[in-house]
């Protein structure tokens, strides 16, 4: 798909509207991004944003949960909400004929959730079940342990679900206060993609949100301390059939120029069955049930991680093998063929991620929220193409020299070993 035209406008109350014209199908998808999320929670209220988005969908001042579900399902539309680290999001998908009604419903959910006690308790129970389920999954435990070592008290150390303790203590007033503080027009980005013109999008947003006034309180600001942790080697034992070995490194946020080079390194290591980690660790050495890497896009300090699921007897071999593959990036430049293959994979995958209206609304709305702007779409592809093996080696050497190591092993019951250094 050729990049569609994108129109950006702003209402008087601060709402940003992106319109991505794609008339090829009679479908409109939307994303309503709020500058909030688990990054804006205190440690004592971890999980608050998650509970908020769950309960928001379960009733407004005018409609019950059943009535909301009926209005969506009766026309075959989609409407949902979620919390991430750096934002809260409502998503919609509908045929053009029903867009006005579904858009109005989304606006009502955002603006006037009723936070019924019965729905709060129901959603709380479901989230507590999800938290308990996570504790039974070795990968999640290894990742939790790694985040804690990497970030210390920074909000990125915490799961967006919170903990059983914090989730149990969140009150209805906490939800009301968070909603009043964060869900406001000057923190809202609306991204619409499909058979819709900019004039139609602006008119619809004005009718639904134009009378929404900015509160007479300052917009919330977030001040987080710099991440200053030291590498650790941690082992947690759990009843599992395999070991999870995870190596992590503090990495730059999305606005750092080095971010793009690390995205290409991530692609080289983990993109598909011909990736370096898959070929070396699984195909050649037969060590891995699962092996990959990931580098999340973050507004604050991010992290780069490589991991492997393997037999418990292979734990130390997995640690040394993963570390050798990362160290190789610091010591040896990639060949011309290796770097071109990584570029082709990454840019091909990136293009495939913008095929549907939902993907378009997500991509450009997300860029706007991150402060990158819609032009970043073109800038990203150009920057990837220009990267050299020398630049990749320098970036790897800068960030990927000393790992934080997190292991979940089936060997003993409940113990956690920590070695700092």
């Amino acid at each position: 798909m050729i990049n569609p035209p994108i129109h950006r406008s702003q209402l008087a109350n601060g709402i940003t509207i992106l319109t991505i014209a794609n008339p090829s199908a009679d479908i409109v998808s939307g994303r309503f991004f709020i500058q909030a999320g688990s990054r804006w929670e205190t440690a004592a209220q971890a999980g608050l944003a998650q509970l908020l988005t769950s309960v928001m969908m379960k009733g407004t001042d005018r409609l019950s949960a059943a009535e909301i579900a009926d209005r969506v399902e009766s026309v075959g539309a989609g409407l949902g909400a979620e919390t991430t680290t750096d934002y809260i999001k409502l998503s919609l998908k509908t045929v053009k004929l029903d867009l006005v009604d579904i858009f109005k419903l989304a606006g009502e959910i955002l603006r006037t959730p009723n936070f019924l006690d019965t729905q709060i308790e129901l959603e709380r129970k479901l989230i507590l079940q999800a938290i308990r389920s996570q504790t039974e999954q070795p990968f999640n435990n290894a990742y939790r342990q790694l985040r804690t070592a990497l970030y210390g008290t920074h909000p990125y150390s915490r799961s967006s679900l919170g903990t059983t303790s914090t989730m149990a203590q969140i009150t209805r007033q906490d939800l009301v206060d968070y909603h009043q503080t964060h869900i406001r027009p000057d923190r809202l980005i609306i991204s619409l993609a499909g058979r819709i013109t900019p004039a139609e999008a602006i008119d619809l947003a004005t009718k639904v949100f134009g009378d929404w006034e900015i509160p007479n309180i300052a917009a919330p600001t977030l001040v987080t301390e710099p991440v200053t942790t030291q590498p650790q080697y941690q082992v947690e034992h759990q009843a599992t059939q395999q070991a999870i070995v995870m190596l992590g490194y503090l990495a730059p946020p999305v606005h750092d120029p080095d971010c793009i080079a690390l995205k290409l390194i991530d692609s080289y290591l983990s993109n598909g069955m011909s990736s370096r980690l898959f070929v070396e660790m699984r195909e050649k050495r037969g060590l891995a049930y699962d092996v990959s890497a990931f580098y999340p896009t973050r507004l604050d300090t991010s992290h780069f991680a490589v991991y492997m699921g393997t037999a418990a007897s292979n734990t130390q071999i997995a640690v040394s093998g993963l570390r050798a593959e990362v160290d190789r990036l610091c010591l040896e430049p990639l060949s011309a063929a290796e770097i071109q293959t990584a570029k082709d994979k990454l840019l091909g995958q990136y293009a495939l991620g913008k095929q549907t209206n939902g993907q378009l609304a997500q991509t450009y709305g997300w860029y706007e929220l991150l402060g990158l702007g819609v032009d970043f779409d073109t800038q990203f592809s150009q920057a990837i193409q220009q990267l050299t093996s020398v630049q990749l080696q320098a970036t790897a050497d800068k960030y990927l020299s000393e790992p934080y190591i997190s292991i979940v092993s089936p060997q003993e019951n409940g113990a956690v070993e920590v070695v700092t250094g």
Side-chain angles (χ1 to χ4, degrees):
M1 176 185 293
I2 298 175
N3 288 346
I6 303 166
H7 183 272
R8 183 185 187 277
S9 56
Q10 195 167 48
L11 301 187
N13 58 5
I15 296 175
T16 298
I17 304 166
L18 301 179
T19 310
I20 303 105
N22 182 29
S24 58
D26 190 29
I27 300 291
V28 178
S29 292
R31 300 290 186 270
F32 300 74
F33 288 94
I34 299 285
Q35 298 177 52
S38 59
R39 178 170 169 257
W40 295 81
E41 300 167 344
T42 65
Q45 292 185 323
L48 176 56
Q50 179 66 52
L51 184 57
L52 175 92
T53 52
S54 298
V55 178
M56 278 175 60
M57 298 298 300
K58 302 302 181 181
T60 69
D61 290 348
R62 192 174 62 92
L63 299 172
S64 68
E67 289 171 327
I68 290 173
D70 181 67
R71 291 191 178 211
V72 175
E73 294 168 6
S74 65
V75 296
L79 186 62
E82 65 175 297
T83 288
T84 72
T85 302
D86 289 325
Y87 59 81
I88 286 173
K89 179 181 70 177
L90 254 66
S91 302
L92 69 79
K93 180 180 180 181
T94 181
V95 296
K96 179 68 176 292
L97 179 65
D98 299 313
L99 175 61
V100 172
D101 290 339
I102 298 300
F103 191 95
K104 287 181 177 177
L105 180 57
E108 187 171 340
I109 288 169
L110 271 176
R111 296 181 62 176
T112 60
N114 59 6
F115 299 125
L116 290 181
D117 288 333
T118 53
Q119 292 296 341
I120 292 173
E121 293 312 311
L122 174 59
E123 296 303 319
R124 192 198 311 272
K125 288 179 181 178
L126 293 174
I127 294 172
L128 286 170
Q129 290 175 5
I131 293 171
R132 296 186 185 103
S133 176
Q134 280 193 346
T135 65
E136 299 171 357
Q137 299 169 19
F139 178 90
N140 285 329
N141 285 331
Y143 191 30
R144 166 190 49 76
Q145 185 172 243
L146 179 67
R147 291 196 313 270
T148 301
L150 286 166
Y151 290 110
T153 59
H154 189 284
Y156 284 174
S157 69
R158 304 189 291 267
S159 166
S160 62
L161 296 179
T163 67
T164 54
S165 175
T166 60
M167 181 54 59
Q169 295 173 14
I170 295 171
T171 67
R172 181 183 187 277
Q173 190 59 49
D174 292 331
L175 297 175
V176 171
D177 292 343
Y178 191 95
H179 182 268
Q180 291 177 345
T181 300
H182 294 281
I183 312 299
R184 43 190 283 165
D186 52 340
R187 298 173 69 81
L188 173 61
I189 297 164
I190 301 173
S191 178
L192 296 171
R195 188 170 291 178
I196 184 169
T197 67
E200 290 173 322
I202 293 168
D203 181 64
L204 182 56
T206 300
K207 288 178 179 177
V208 175
F209 294 106
D211 64 341
W212 193 9
E213 297 181 354
I214 299 174
N216 290 322
I217 56 174
T221 57
L222 184 65
V223 178
T224 54
E225 295 296 324
V227 179
T228 58
T229 55
Q230 296 296 319
Q232 297 179 0
Y233 185 109
Q234 294 185 303
V235 182
E236 181 175 309
H237 301 292
Q238 134 177 34
T240 177
Q241 297 302 309
Q242 63 172 303
I244 300 293
V245 176
M246 194 171 290
L247 277 61
Y249 308 80
L250 291 170
V254 66
H255 290 278
D256 192 299
D258 292 333
C259 173
I260 293 178
L262 278 172
K263 287 293 184 185
L264 186 57
I265 290 172
D266 176 29
S267 178
Y268 168 73
L269 287 176
S270 67
N271 198 337
M273 291 187 291
S274 61
S275 66
R276 177 73 184 191
L277 289 179
F278 191 93
V279 170
E280 294 297 322
M281 296 292 100
R282 181 181 169 96
E283 295 299 291
K284 290 185 178 180
R285 302 181 65 179
L287 292 174
Y289 304 129
D290 182 28
V291 62
S292 194
F294 56 93
Y295 170 41
T297 300
R298 292 286 186 266
L299 280 167
D300 288 342
T301 301
S302 186
H303 54 280
F304 189 100
V306 295
Y307 70 91
M308 183 191 303
T310 189
S313 58
N314 292 330
T315 298
Q316 293 307 314
I317 298 174
V319 172
S320 60
L322 287 174
R323 183 159 188 180
E325 290 302 326
V326 176
D327 287 348
R328 173 179 174 267
L329 295 168
C330 304
L331 300 172
E332 303 175 15
L334 298 184
S335 69
E338 286 176 320
I339 195 169
Q340 190 58 54
T341 298
K343 288 178 179 180
D344 292 344
K345 283 184 181 181
L346 179 57
L347 293 177
Q349 189 178 59
Y350 181 69
L352 290 173
K354 299 184 295 177
Q355 295 299 297
T356 68
N357 288 332
Q359 290 171 331
L360 291 170
Q362 173 70 30
T363 296
Y364 294 109
W366 187 44
Y367 287 164
E368 181 70 22
L369 179 129
L370 292 172
L372 298 171
V374 296
D375 291 338
F376 182 73
D377 180 56
T378 302
Q379 295 166 3
F380 177 79
S381 297
Q382 292 174 344
I384 290 294
Q385 291 286 20
Q386 294 169 3
L387 284 169
T388 67
S389 59
V390 173
Q391 289 172 309
L392 292 189
Q393 184 181 2
T395 302
D397 187 55
K398 183 176 180 180
Y399 296 101
L400 308 182
S401 59
E402 188 65 31
Y404 296 65
I405 299 175
S406 173
I407 296 170
V408 170
S409 165
Q411 294 174 353
E412 298 176 15
N413 294 322
V416 177
E417 304 168 18
V418 179
V419 179
T420 303

